Amino acid sequence: MLAKLKINMTMGVIAFLFTYLFSFLNNTWQTSLFRAIGGFIIFFLLGFVLSFILKQLAGNKNVSLEEEPKLVVENNSEIEKDHPKVEELTEEPGFQAVPLHSLHHQGNGK
């Protein structure tokens, strides 16, 4: 929280300085100071709003990362008793091409 406050204060001070310096060229010092204070407040509050929005967006995307269910295996021998070992699968034949004439109806040509 303190780091967020420092970042927002820094951004507000930078906005204050830029607003005051650029406004001072065309206005009196009172008007420039008033506009600079307004710039500070806007940037200070905008930092909180922006961080809140980003936190909400990040929270919605990382729902699956919060906590994954963990499987606990107590003893492998108990599992092996309940489930006998699966014998190795026999080798299945590879891909066999299908002749084109068997795919088409050899009737009327429809």
Side-chain angles (χ1 to χ4, degrees), residues 2-41:
L2 187 60
K4 189 189 316 183
L5 187 63
K6 285 182 181 180
I7 291 172
N8 290 351
M9 289 288 285
T10 304
M11 293 303 293
V13 168
I14 290 171
F16 176 85
L17 291 174
F18 277 119
T19 305
Y20 183 76
L21 292 176
F22 288 118
S23 179
F24 187 68
L25 298 174
N26 297 322
N27 298 308
T28 62
W29 69 271
Q30 294 93 351
T31 306
S32 300
L33 185 64
F34 178 73
R35 290 180 180 179
I37 291 172
F40 173 82
I41 293 171

Side-chain angles (χ1 to χ4, degrees), residues 9-80:
M9 289 288 285
T10 304
M11 293 303 293
V13 168
I14 290 171
F16 176 85
L17 291 174
F18 277 119
T19 305
Y20 183 76
L21 292 176
F22 288 118
S23 179
F24 187 68
L25 298 174
N26 297 322
N27 298 308
T28 62
W29 69 271
Q30 294 93 351
T31 306
S32 300
L33 185 64
F34 178 73
R35 290 180 180 179
I37 291 172
F40 173 82
I41 293 171
I42 289 171
F43 272 81
F44 184 74
L45 295 177
L46 190 65
F48 284 114
V49 171
L50 186 62
S51 66
F52 176 74
I53 291 171
L54 291 176
K55 187 184 291 185
Q56 293 298 321
L57 291 175
N60 292 341
K61 290 182 180 179
N62 295 330
V63 171
S64 63
L65 298 177
E66 288 179 6
E67 188 173 325
E68 295 181 14
K70 297 180 182 178
L71 298 176
V72 178
V73 177
E74 294 178 6
N75 193 351
N76 289 338
S77 61
E78 293 177 8
I79 294 173
E80 290 175 2

Side-chain angles (χ1 to χ4, degrees), residues 83-94:
H83 304 287
K85 292 184 180 180
V86 178
E87 296 179 10
E88 292 183 26
L89 297 174
T90 59
E91 190 172 316
E92 295 182 11

